[in-house]
Structures are given as structure tokens and as C-alpha cells.
Amino acid sequence: MTTTSAEGTGSVAALTPRQTVQAISGLMMGLFVAILAGTVVSTALPRIIHDLGASQSSYTWVVTLELLAMTATVPLWGKLADLYNNKLLLQLSLGFFVVGSLVAGFAPNIEVLLGSRVLQGLGGGGLTALVQIVMAAIIPPRELGRYSGIFGAVFASATVGGPLLGGFLVDSPLGWRACFLVGVPFVLVAMFLLQRTLHLATVRREVKIDWWGALLITAGVSMLLVWSSFGSKLGWVSLESFLLVAGALLVLLVAVLVERKHPEPIIPMDLFRNRTVSLSIVASALVGVAMFGGSVFLAQYFQIAQGYSPTAAGLMGLPLIIGMMGASTVAGGLITKTGKWKIYLVIGSVLLPIGLALFGTIDAQTSKFVLWGFMLVLGVGIGLVMQNLVLAAQNDVPARELGAATSAVSFFRSMGGTIGVSVLGAILANNIAETLNPGGGATGGSGAVPNIAELPPAIRTVVENAYGDATADLFMMSVPFAVLALIAVVFIKEKPLLTTSGAERRAAEEGEPDKLDA
């Protein structure tokens, strides 16, 4: 059992409104750029893959590797946040991101680019967990609604605004490499702001890091994600797939046993006894599959199936941004005002499968106005659900488990998204290969991604239809996951939002004063 000691006297010092705004600004800037790293490449990927001479399978891996690294490390970052100085951890995660971005920007080949995405994923995993943990530490749950709206707006802007920026950069003289380098100056500014303005209560503790738990969880999750990425090549029902899945489940079973016995587990098993946290985790994982699994391929659909330039493809995603930003901002303000949050979760969970089902009807000839309407529906659904699941979990756990609970919800959402991107991406590649080369032995997408502008008119029409139909199939496959997420949300019990911050709750639980860091 770890022991707790404190330095200094007095109660936890709350940040002034000005300090809070400055700290939130630094957090949001860092988070925006980190999320942007995962989305800005979406419209640039067809050009990147073509220029580097890579394949459709590499297209998926550029997205998947960052998500894998982020997903696998979120629980570790979350647990470290319960044990160590959060500002130091934030700066470390931003540092990983800067190094990864610089390597990606100057990558000479696809192998170096994929390696750099791992570094960006490590930084993204830290920011995914730590930004929300720090917000909960300095802001009471009742007030978090307002800031959660800002968080949702930032997430939405970076998620869907990234393709717009990526398209603009690809079409500009700067080229696709600027997609990786453009965020570096902003991350450096965020690091400066956080160092100057973020002052957090720190409890000095003797800690024991659960390194075995971290290793086993990372290994087990990575094995599952590798299987989900290569399942179509290995055969979903094959000896290789069986060995990968069985090995992953065995490693995760050992991880559970280790977690149950360790005094400072990476993912406390007690969390899953909490109904709200468990249901939020289930819903987040399912929402991740539905949200990332289909939408990550929209930019490719706009460019290849509908023939838009990268910049125009980015602009096509604006209604999705508007829906997500508007829904998260309005709902966040209303939650702070009324204290009621479940109604927004339910409405969003209803809209998600409807929006996905609508996209399941598209083809290469679908009108842009129809697509914009579908994106509004889907965007509002995502905006109402995503951040409010985190809020529900944070409001229902002791402050000492705030980091673990927050990271667990984010972890399973990212894991669902990573598996969704991997599996659906493999299905997309197989379907396209089979359509363009019937009976030719599709191999999971080893064919090159075409440059639609260079194709003869007759072949271009065939390729456009193949990508249009295959993308619609992906969205339709995502619908059942969104329906299951709705069922999980319905059973979450609404509880009044707390009016004390995580730092104040932690001080009360520990029964000892805290000391602010410099």
C-alpha cells in the first residue's frame, strides 16, 4: 500500500478565473494540435501514399499506428497522472508529439513515416488522458459542462477541420509535409503557456508503478489491434488469427490477475464495479467504432469517389464540424445551467445510428447537399455523446481514481476507433480490390491507391463507383455498434453533478493539505 504525505499547510488553492482561462487555453491548444495530427493527414493521405509509392494497406496503417500507440498508452498516462506531477507529464507528452511531428515532416519513405506516427501516438495518448484529468482537477463537474463544450468544440474542429487544412496544404506549394510540421510552433506555445500558468496541487506520495501491468495491457491490446489490421490478409477464420486472438486474450487475462494484486494498478478493477463507469466505457468503445470507423474514410470518398481536390474535400466536411461544435457547446452550457446531462447523451445516441444509416445509402453520385444534411445529423450525435460520457464517469468516482476512470473511458473509445479503422479499412480494401478485379484474389488491399485525375474517363467511372459503394458499406456496418451504444447509454443512471473540483475532493479524501507546484 502506498503511503501519502503532504507538504505545506492550508487548504487547496483554487486557480483564479484568469489563471483558469490561461491554463485551459494552453490545454486546448496542445490538445487541438495533437488531434489535428491524426486528422490533417486524411485528405493528404492519397497524395502521400502515391508520392511515397506505398499501398492501400499502408494508407490504413498511417492512421492505425498512431491510434494504436495512443490507445495502448492512455491507461499508463492516466495512472501516472494519479501518482506524479500532471504538468510535467503534460510537457513530456507534448515533447513526444513535437519529435514525432518533425520526423514525419522530413520522412524520406513510408517506413520512417510510420515510425514517426508511433511517436505522435505516444504524445497523443498522454494528451488524450491528461487534458481531461487536469480539467477535472481544477474545475468542479457542475462547471465542467461549460468547459466540456469548449473541449468538444476543439475536438470537433481538429477532427473535421484537419482534413480542410490538410487539403489546403497539399494543394499549396508547401506540399503534404507541411501537414506534419504546421502544428509544431503551436505545441511549443502551448508548452510555454502551461509552464507559466498551470499550477496544480501536488500530493507527495511513495508510489509503485505497475510496470508488469502496463507491459501486459499494452502487449495484449497491441496483439488485438494487429489482428484487426491483418485479419483480412490472414483470414478472419484461420490458424494465424486464432493464435493472435488467443494469445492476446491470454496476455490480457494475466494482466487482469496482475492488476487485481498490485497496490497501484494501471486500470483498477474496482472501476468496473461502478455501473456508470462500466456503461460509459462500453458506450465509448462502441461510439469509437462507429465514429472513427466510418468517418476516417470520408476524405478518401470525397477525393476518389466524387473527384474533389484535397482542399475541396476538406471543405466538404464543414457541416460535420458545425454539428459537433454546435451540439457540444450548446449542450455544455445547458448542463452547467441545469445540472442535467443524461438527456443529451440519449439524444446524441439516437442520432448516431440514424446518421450512420443515412451515410449507408450514399454512392459516387450522391448530391453534396444530401451529404451535408447527413453530416449535420452525424455531427450533432457525436457532439452530444463523446465528451458527456467522460463527464458522467468523472462525476461518479473518488478523486483518487479520477485519472484512471478518465483514461479508461478514453482508452476504450480509442481502442474501439482503432479496431474500427483497422477492420473496416481492411474490408474497404478487399471490397474495392474484388470490385475492380473480380476473382483476382483480393489480398486485403495491397493495390496502389489511384490518382483519380490521371485515369481515363471509363476507368475513372468504375473506380469512383467502387469507392462510393464500398464507403457506404462501411457506414452501414457501423450502425449496429451505434445501436448497442444507445442501449448502454439508456441504462446509465443520472446522478447530480458535484460542485467541488477534483483537487478539492482529493484533499478531502486524503485528509491532508496539498502544495501547489511552481
Side-chain angles (χ1 to χ4, degrees):
M1 191 92 176
T2 59
T3 59
T4 303
S5 63
E7 296 178 20
T9 59
S11 60
V12 176
L15 298 183
T16 66
R18 178 179 176 132
Q19 288 175 321
T20 300
V21 170
Q22 290 175 332
I24 292 295
S25 298
L27 291 171
M28 292 300 106
M29 186 178 296
L31 182 68
F32 177 82
V33 177
I35 297 172
L36 198 68
T39 60
V40 72
V41 297
S42 58
T43 40
L45 270 177
R47 187 73 57 84
I48 294 172
I49 298 301
H50 180 267
D51 289 353
L52 295 180
S55 66
Q56 176 70 49
S57 59
S58 298
Y59 185 106
T60 301
W61 270 106
V62 173
V63 178
T64 303
L65 269 180
E66 192 207 17
L67 286 174
L68 192 155
M70 180 179 71
T71 300
T73 57
V74 162
L76 179 58
W77 285 108
K79 189 59 190 179
L80 291 175
D82 286 334
L83 304 177
Y84 290 114
N85 184 284
N86 287 356
K87 184 162 76 173
L88 177 62
L89 294 174
L90 272 171
Q91 301 288 41
L92 183 61
S93 61
L94 287 167
F96 275 122
F97 176 79
V98 168
V99 174
S101 297
L102 290 173
V103 174
F106 296 101
N109 53 52
I110 191 65
E111 290 78 15
V112 173
L113 178 62
L114 293 176
S116 70
R117 297 292 282 172
V118 174
L119 287 175
Q120 287 185 312
L122 289 175
L127 290 167
T128 298
L130 293 167
V131 167
Q132 297 176 89
I133 292 168
V134 170
M135 286 177 64
I138 62 178
I139 303 168
R142 179 64 182 265
E143 295 297 318
L144 263 179
R146 179 184 297 112
Y147 292 98
S148 294
I150 299 173
F151 177 92
V154 167
F155 193 97
S157 302
T159 300
V160 192
L164 173 59
L165 177 60
F168 172 78
L169 291 174
V170 169
D171 287 339
S172 74
L174 296 173
W176 59 261
R177 294 184 183 277
C179 294
F180 299 104
L181 300 175
V182 69
V184 172
F186 296 97
V187 175
L188 296 176
V189 171
M191 295 175 75
F192 174 77
L193 278 175
L194 291 172
Q195 188 62 35
R196 288 283 306 272
T197 64
L198 185 60
H199 303 284
L200 298 174
T202 301
V203 178
R204 304 300 181 188
R205 314 173 66 202
E206 294 179 14
V207 298
K208 296 181 179 179
I209 298 298
D210 181 15
W211 295 113
W212 276 111
L215 176 64
L216 290 168
I217 291 171
T218 301
V221 169
S222 298
M223 289 172 68
L224 281 178
L225 297 177
V226 167
W227 168 74
S228 70
S229 297
F230 287 105
S232 61
K233 290 185 177 181
L234 300 174
W236 296 111
V237 182
S238 65
L239 177 61
E240 292 86 351
S241 286
F242 172 77
L243 292 176
L244 264 177
V245 174
L249 294 178
L250 179 61
V251 171
L252 291 174
L253 176 61
V254 175
V256 169
L257 297 177
V258 170
E259 294 296 88
R260 292 183 63 183
K261 293 182 179 180
H262 200 279
E264 295 285 356
I266 298 296
I267 302 179
M269 293 297 105
D270 288 347
L271 283 178
F272 297 95
R273 297 177 184 174
N274 183 304
R275 173 178 167 179
T276 300
V277 174
S278 296
L279 289 173
S280 296
I281 285 173
V282 170
S284 290
L286 294 167
V287 167
V289 174
M291 180 175 67
F292 290 108
S295 61
V296 76
F297 297 103
L298 265 181
Q300 182 173 257
Y301 163 79
F302 289 136
Q303 291 182 67
I304 299 180
Q306 296 224 333
Y308 287 103
S309 69
T311 301
L315 285 170
M316 283 293 292
L318 282 176
L320 194 57
I321 298 178
I322 294 169
M324 293 172 69
M325 288 182 62
S328 62
T329 303
V330 172
L334 291 173
I335 289 171
T336 295
K337 182 178 180 180
T338 65
K340 304 292 184 182
W341 49 267
K342 184 175 178 179
I343 182 63
Y344 306 107
L345 267 180
V346 173
I347 293 173
S349 300
V350 170
L351 290 176
L352 265 179
I354 293 175
L356 292 168
L358 291 173
F359 269 107
T361 66
I362 66 176
D363 56 31
Q365 288 75 43
T366 303
S367 163
K368 64 181 178 181
F369 300 105
V370 173
L371 291 169
W372 288 345
F374 292 174
M375 280 188 278
L376 274 176
V377 174
L378 186 60
V380 171
I382 294 172
L384 291 175
V385 170
M386 187 178 62
Q387 188 58 21
N388 288 328
L389 285 171
V390 177
L391 176 64
Q394 289 177 335
N395 187 60
D396 204 33
V397 295
R400 67 179 181 277
E401 294 182 348
L402 196 57
T406 303
S407 61
V409 176
S410 300
F411 165 70
F412 282 97
R413 182 179 64 215
S414 297
M415 184 173 175
T418 306
I419 292 176
V421 169
S422 301
V423 174
L424 296 180
I427 293 172
L428 174 73
N430 264 351
N431 288 349
I432 291 170
E434 184 62 34
T435 300
L436 298 180
N437 185 23
T443 58
S446 58
V449 177
N451 185 338
I452 202 72
E454 298 176 353
L455 299 178
I459 297 178
R460 173 173 177 166
T461 300
V462 173
V463 172
E464 287 175 344
N465 288 331
Y467 273 86
D469 294 342
T471 304
D473 290 341
L474 296 191
F475 279 102
M476 196 58 74
M477 291 176 190
S478 301
V479 172
F481 297 100
V483 171
L484 292 174
L486 169 61
I487 294 172
V489 165
V490 168
F491 285 98
I492 294 177
K493 183 179 180 181
E494 183 166 27
K495 296 185 179 181
L497 294 175
L498 301 173
T499 57
T500 53
S501 70
E504 293 168 334
R505 288 156 56 196
R506 182 65 176 264
E509 290 171 12
E510 301 287 356
E512 297 181 4
D514 295 331
K515 181 180 179 180
L516 291 178
D517 63 8

mmCIF file of all heavy atoms in Angstrom, residues 379-396:
data_model
loop_
_atom_site.group_PDB
_atom_site.id
_atom_site.type_symbol
_atom_site.label_atom_id
_atom_site.label_comp_id
_atom_site.label_asym_id
_atom_site.label_seq_id
_atom_site.Cartn_x
_atom_site.Cartn_y
_atom_site.Cartn_z
ATOM 1 N N GLY A 379 -22.861 14.741 -36.991
ATOM 2 C CA GLY A 379 -22.059 15.636 -36.165
ATOM 3 C C GLY A 379 -22.735 15.989 -34.853
ATOM 4 O O GLY A 379 -22.094 16.006 -33.797
ATOM 5 N N VAL A 380 -24.032 16.264 -34.893
ATOM 6 C CA VAL A 380 -24.762 16.577 -33.660
ATOM 7 C C VAL A 380 -24.747 15.365 -32.727
ATOM 8 O O VAL A 380 -24.555 15.497 -31.513
ATOM 9 C CB VAL A 380 -26.212 17.002 -33.986
ATOM 10 C CG1 VAL A 380 -27.039 17.099 -32.698
ATOM 11 C CG2 VAL A 380 -26.220 18.342 -34.715
ATOM 12 N N GLY A 381 -24.930 14.172 -33.288
ATOM 13 C CA GLY A 381 -24.904 12.963 -32.464
ATOM 14 C C GLY A 381 -23.576 12.777 -31.761
ATOM 15 O O GLY A 381 -23.516 12.526 -30.550
ATOM 16 N N ILE A 382 -22.484 12.935 -32.516
ATOM 17 C CA ILE A 382 -21.147 12.782 -31.921
ATOM 18 C C ILE A 382 -20.904 13.854 -30.864
ATOM 19 O O ILE A 382 -20.383 13.585 -29.776
ATOM 20 C CB ILE A 382 -20.072 12.847 -33.012
ATOM 21 C CG1 ILE A 382 -20.190 11.653 -33.959
ATOM 22 C CG2 ILE A 382 -18.673 12.884 -32.390
ATOM 23 C CD1 ILE A 382 -19.288 11.738 -35.174
ATOM 24 N N GLY A 383 -21.271 15.096 -31.171
ATOM 25 C CA GLY A 383 -21.046 16.204 -30.243
ATOM 26 C C GLY A 383 -21.764 16.044 -28.919
ATOM 27 O O GLY A 383 -21.268 16.457 -27.868
ATOM 28 N N LEU A 384 -22.943 15.422 -28.938
ATOM 29 C CA LEU A 384 -23.714 15.243 -27.704
ATOM 30 C C LEU A 384 -23.227 14.070 -26.870
ATOM 31 O O LEU A 384 -23.430 14.041 -25.650
ATOM 32 C CB LEU A 384 -25.195 15.047 -28.045
ATOM 33 C CG LEU A 384 -25.942 16.255 -28.605
ATOM 34 C CD1 LEU A 384 -27.364 15.871 -28.996
ATOM 35 C CD2 LEU A 384 -25.953 17.403 -27.602
ATOM 36 N N VAL A 385 -22.595 13.098 -27.510
ATOM 37 C CA VAL A 385 -22.244 11.860 -26.809
ATOM 38 C C VAL A 385 -20.826 11.855 -26.261
ATOM 39 O O VAL A 385 -20.586 11.531 -25.092
ATOM 40 C CB VAL A 385 -22.437 10.646 -27.742
ATOM 41 C CG1 VAL A 385 -21.843 9.382 -27.120
ATOM 42 C CG2 VAL A 385 -23.905 10.444 -28.037
ATOM 43 N N MET A 386 -19.871 12.207 -27.097
ATOM 44 C CA MET A 386 -18.472 11.909 -26.833
ATOM 45 C C MET A 386 -17.985 12.408 -25.476
ATOM 46 O O MET A 386 -17.568 11.636 -24.611
ATOM 47 C CB MET A 386 -17.612 12.489 -27.950
ATOM 48 C CG MET A 386 -16.160 12.107 -27.872
ATOM 49 S SD MET A 386 -15.270 12.797 -29.278
ATOM 50 C CE MET A 386 -15.518 14.552 -29.003
ATOM 51 N N GLN A 387 -18.033 13.707 -25.233
ATOM 52 C CA GLN A 387 -17.470 14.260 -24.016
ATOM 53 C C GLN A 387 -18.360 14.036 -22.796
ATOM 54 O O GLN A 387 -17.872 13.947 -21.678
ATOM 55 C CB GLN A 387 -17.200 15.759 -24.202
ATOM 56 C CG GLN A 387 -16.440 16.408 -23.053
ATOM 57 C CD GLN A 387 -15.100 15.735 -22.801
ATOM 58 O OE1 GLN A 387 -14.554 15.071 -23.668
ATOM 59 N NE2 GLN A 387 -14.576 15.892 -21.595
ATOM 60 N N ASN A 388 -19.662 13.924 -22.999
ATOM 61 C CA ASN A 388 -20.558 13.735 -21.864
ATOM 62 C C ASN A 388 -20.417 12.362 -21.233
ATOM 63 O O ASN A 388 -20.745 12.174 -20.056
ATOM 64 C CB ASN A 388 -22.007 13.982 -22.302
ATOM 65 C CG ASN A 388 -22.273 15.457 -22.549
ATOM 66 O OD1 ASN A 388 -21.687 16.320 -21.907
ATOM 67 N ND2 ASN A 388 -23.143 15.754 -23.498
ATOM 68 N N LEU A 389 -19.930 11.372 -21.978
ATOM 69 C CA LEU A 389 -19.636 10.073 -21.375
ATOM 70 C C LEU A 389 -18.482 10.198 -20.379
ATOM 71 O O LEU A 389 -18.498 9.579 -19.309
ATOM 72 C CB LEU A 389 -19.287 9.058 -22.467
ATOM 73 C CG LEU A 389 -20.458 8.513 -23.290
ATOM 74 C CD1 LEU A 389 -19.946 7.686 -24.462
ATOM 75 C CD2 LEU A 389 -21.400 7.683 -22.421
ATOM 76 N N VAL A 390 -17.487 10.998 -20.728
ATOM 77 C CA VAL A 390 -16.367 11.237 -19.809
ATOM 78 C C VAL A 390 -16.863 11.971 -18.558
ATOM 79 O O VAL A 390 -16.488 11.634 -17.432
ATOM 80 C CB VAL A 390 -15.254 12.044 -20.499
ATOM 81 C CG1 VAL A 390 -14.121 12.349 -19.526
ATOM 82 C CG2 VAL A 390 -14.730 11.299 -21.714
ATOM 83 N N LEU A 391 -17.702 12.973 -18.748
ATOM 84 C CA LEU A 391 -18.246 13.740 -17.633
ATOM 85 C C LEU A 391 -19.014 12.838 -16.678
ATOM 86 O O LEU A 391 -18.875 12.941 -15.450
ATOM 87 C CB LEU A 391 -19.156 14.846 -18.162
ATOM 88 C CG LEU A 391 -19.890 15.696 -17.116
ATOM 89 C CD1 LEU A 391 -18.890 16.476 -16.269
ATOM 90 C CD2 LEU A 391 -20.874 16.648 -17.796
ATOM 91 N N ALA A 392 -19.831 11.933 -17.218
ATOM 92 C CA ALA A 392 -20.616 11.027 -16.379
ATOM 93 C C ALA A 392 -19.704 10.156 -15.518
ATOM 94 O O ALA A 392 -19.959 9.944 -14.318
ATOM 95 C CB ALA A 392 -21.517 10.148 -17.249
ATOM 96 N N ALA A 393 -18.610 9.644 -16.097
ATOM 97 C CA ALA A 393 -17.686 8.794 -15.353
ATOM 98 C C ALA A 393 -16.924 9.591 -14.303
ATOM 99 O O ALA A 393 -16.758 9.144 -13.156
ATOM 100 C CB ALA A 393 -16.719 8.111 -16.318
ATOM 101 N N GLN A 394 -16.450 10.777 -14.665
ATOM 102 C CA GLN A 394 -15.685 11.600 -13.720
ATOM 103 C C GLN A 394 -16.519 11.996 -12.512
ATOM 104 O O GLN A 394 -15.995 12.140 -11.398
ATOM 105 C CB GLN A 394 -15.179 12.861 -14.429
ATOM 106 C CG GLN A 394 -14.073 12.613 -15.443
ATOM 107 C CD GLN A 394 -13.668 13.887 -16.162
ATOM 108 O OE1 GLN A 394 -14.451 14.838 -16.281
ATOM 109 N NE2 GLN A 394 -12.449 13.919 -16.670
ATOM 110 N N ASN A 395 -17.795 12.168 -12.723
ATOM 111 C CA ASN A 395 -18.676 12.616 -11.645
ATOM 112 C C ASN A 395 -18.996 11.504 -10.647
ATOM 113 O O ASN A 395 -19.524 11.770 -9.574
ATOM 114 C CB ASN A 395 -19.987 13.137 -12.254
ATOM 115 C CG ASN A 395 -20.907 13.768 -11.234
ATOM 116 O OD1 ASN A 395 -20.546 14.747 -10.576
ATOM 117 N ND2 ASN A 395 -22.102 13.214 -11.078
ATOM 118 N N ASP A 396 -18.657 10.272 -10.974
ATOM 119 C CA ASP A 396 -19.124 9.142 -10.177
ATOM 120 C C ASP A 396 -18.004 8.307 -9.581
ATOM 121 O O ASP A 396 -18.223 7.166 -9.189
ATOM 122 C CB ASP A 396 -20.033 8.254 -11.038
ATOM 123 C CG ASP A 396 -21.005 7.440 -10.197
ATOM 124 O OD1 ASP A 396 -21.435 7.940 -9.144
ATOM 125 O OD2 ASP A 396 -21.323 6.301 -10.594
#
